[in-house]
Amino acid sequence: MLDFRLHVFHVVAHLLNFTKAAERLSISQPAVTKNIKELESQLGIRLFDRKAGKVVLTEAGQTVLQTADRIQLLYNQLEFDLNVLKNQFGGQLKLGASTTAGQYVLPEILARFHRAFPGVQLTMQNANTETIEQAILQQEIMLGVVEGKKHHPLLSYTAFIQDEIVAITHKDSKYGKLGQISLEELVKIPIVCREKGSGSLEVLEAALGEHDLELSGLQVEMMLGSTEAIKSFLENYDCIGFVSITAVSGPVSRGDFKIIEIPEMEILRSFYFVHAAGVPAGLSASFMHFAKHSYNQRL
């Protein structure tokens, strides 16, 4: 385990709040202050300052935090490797995943993890990105996988995999003969997309914004709560939909749907692991390590 004073510093440095750090560490606020003062005395330099009533890291504090992050990651790796050797994984891991990740990325990884570590009880909540982030903030789940941008200063985001949002249409649609369209043509074509609060919609809006376009300037026929709903809608309505390429690789390869290129606009995004501020430990860290390794093996 990390030196406890360094561990206390690590939590405070990410939260920048002594009261919240005390709650996270399950110790009193005076104990947090005592450990920080002892660490500063040991190192001979101040690690925190207060400015306008807020806690901020000094230059020395930022340097110590960089090293503390690396030490925590090394410890997590060591813990994972030793547990694999001892086959001593156990406990409960409450996960959350945004809709696309929960339906198309994680199920295979969850199956592999369960086979490897049957002593771990896994549960997963599936909702849009905003809901998953709130569930972590409310301590309802321990770890999430979300898409879109980083939103909350009290959460930490670790890159997981890359994804792309593409425009598709059904093979029988009148737009099925199109190979590509321009942005000028896009605004004249009816579209269907994900709902407000979803990471997919957020990255679509950001991509449009880079070309001085807004979603309100497009002919949005409907906003739906899942990729499966969008695919079903496209089977019964002449329009195009914006979805994750991860979610439609199978139907596209079978010829049921067709990707329509928009050369002027590439919509790339990342899936992130999201967790309470700081470097994760225990089962959360172990699952992150396993998931990255497992996904890379598929490639």
Side-chain angles (χ1 to χ4, degrees):
M1 180 60 191
L2 287 178
D3 173 270
F4 187 68
R5 287 172 296 184
L6 186 61
H7 179 51
V8 172
F9 163 80
H10 191 244
V11 174
V12 175
H14 278 285
L15 295 176
L16 294 177
N17 186 300
F18 278 61
T19 300
K20 291 180 179 177
E23 293 173 356
R24 179 73 54 79
L25 293 162
S26 298
I27 61 177
S28 67
Q29 185 172 333
V32 171
T33 302
K34 178 175 179 291
N35 277 278
I36 295 299
K37 287 183 176 179
E38 288 178 352
L39 182 61
E40 289 177 329
S41 177
Q42 178 185 354
L43 298 176
I45 194 166
R46 286 183 61 82
L47 302 176
F48 295 99
D49 277 331
R50 285 191 176 273
K51 292 184 179 179
K54 296 182 179 180
V55 176
V56 296
L57 284 164
T58 63
E59 184 177 355
Q62 293 172 354
T63 299
V64 173
L65 178 58
Q66 291 174 5
T67 300
D69 279 343
R70 291 196 295 270
I71 291 172
Q72 181 69 69
L73 286 171
L74 286 171
Y75 175 79
N76 291 345
Q77 179 67 58
L78 173 62
E79 183 181 49
F80 178 85
D81 291 341
L82 290 176
N83 282 333
V84 168
L85 289 173
K86 295 184 293 183
N87 194 25
Q88 288 186 356
F89 274 109
Q92 184 179 46
L93 179 58
K94 295 181 179 180
L95 300 171
S98 58
T99 309
T100 301
Q103 289 182 333
Y104 305 104
V105 177
L106 288 180
E108 182 179 344
I109 293 172
L110 291 172
R112 291 183 180 183
F113 189 87
H114 185 60
R115 277 198 303 270
F117 310 109
V120 177
Q121 181 183 351
L122 289 169
T123 59
M124 186 174 75
Q125 174 182 342
N126 199 11
N128 66 31
T129 294
E130 183 178 334
T131 301
I132 294 302
E133 289 171 330
Q134 288 300 318
I136 294 172
L137 290 169
Q138 297 299 321
Q139 299 183 349
E140 296 170 0
I141 59 176
M142 306 170 189
L143 178 68
V145 177
V146 300
E147 65 241 36
K149 297 180 179 180
K150 304 175 182 181
H151 298 105
H152 294 282
L154 295 181
L155 297 176
S156 290
Y157 298 78
T158 303
F160 178 23
I161 59 174
Q162 289 288 314
D163 187 36
E164 182 180 3
I165 301 294
V166 293
I168 66 167
T169 192
H170 191 259
K171 62 182 178 63
D172 296 329
S173 167
K174 67 180 182 181
Y175 301 108
K177 297 179 182 179
L178 299 176
Q180 66 178 44
I181 57 174
S182 66
L183 287 175
E184 185 177 351
E185 291 171 316
L186 174 63
V187 301
K188 302 174 183 178
I189 297 174
I191 71 166
V192 60
C193 58
R194 288 289 308 279
E195 82 287 3
K196 290 289 185 182
S198 71
S200 298
L201 182 64
E202 182 180 39
V203 294
L204 172 60
E205 290 181 310
L208 290 169
E210 292 176 1
H211 298 276
D212 297 320
L213 293 173
E214 295 183 359
L215 193 66
S216 59
L218 274 58
Q219 296 184 38
V220 180
E221 297 293 315
M222 196 166 294
M223 291 183 173
L224 297 170
S226 72
T227 298
E228 292 303 310
I230 290 176
K231 286 157 61 178
S232 294
F233 189 88
L234 292 174
E235 289 174 352
N236 296 279
Y237 195 88
D238 281 328
C239 67
I240 66 173
F242 285 92
V243 297
S244 163
I245 196 169
T246 304
V248 294
S249 57
V252 167
S253 65
R254 292 192 299 269
D256 298 329
F257 291 90
K258 180 179 179 180
I259 293 176
I260 300 176
E261 301 288 345
I262 308 176
E264 302 159 79
M265 185 172 70
E266 187 177 36
I267 313 175
L268 299 176
R269 66 173 176 181
S270 292
F271 285 102
Y272 294 92
F273 292 110
V274 57
H275 47 84
V279 177
L283 281 176
S284 292
S286 297
F287 181 82
M288 289 170 60
H289 176 86
F290 182 94
K292 287 182 178 180
H293 180 71
S294 180
Y295 188 84
N296 289 336
Q297 282 186 323
R298 297 172 48 189
L299 305 180

